Amino acid sequence: MNPRRPHAQIHLPPLDAGYALTLVDIFERAITAIWNAHGDSMANLRALRGDHTLSRDFIPSGDPNAPDSDF
């Protein structure tokens, strides 16, 4: 018998298309903000771990054309 390992998950109520799209937008903005804040360090960690998957493009935080990350 396999013991259940803890894992991260989110339980959401049923969503209509409008709420689902809003939630996706929030997640994408959060991911972009994280990459903007920590992208160089995360890319370095990926290299150290041997993870050669493509890194997500991120906009350096000093870029004046960066999208507004305020919600």
Side-chain angles (χ1 to χ4, degrees):
M1 174 183 267
N2 284 335
R4 292 194 63 184
R5 293 180 15 182
H7 58 282
Q9 60 181 315
I10 299 172
H11 295 277
L12 300 171
L15 304 171
D16 67 18
Y19 284 125
L21 187 58
T22 299
L23 187 60
V24 167
D25 184 48
I26 291 168
F27 286 152
E28 287 178 345
R29 291 177 73 174
I31 290 167
T32 298
I34 291 167
W35 275 104
N36 285 340
H38 304 288
D40 290 331
S41 297
M42 292 190 308
N44 291 340
L45 283 173
R46 277 188 165 175
L48 288 173
R49 292 178 179 173
D51 184 355
H52 299 292
T53 58
L54 294 176
S55 294
R56 181 179 173 96
D57 290 335
F58 68 96
I59 302 166
S61 57
D63 186 343
N65 299 316
D68 184 14
S69 62
D70 294 334
F71 289 88

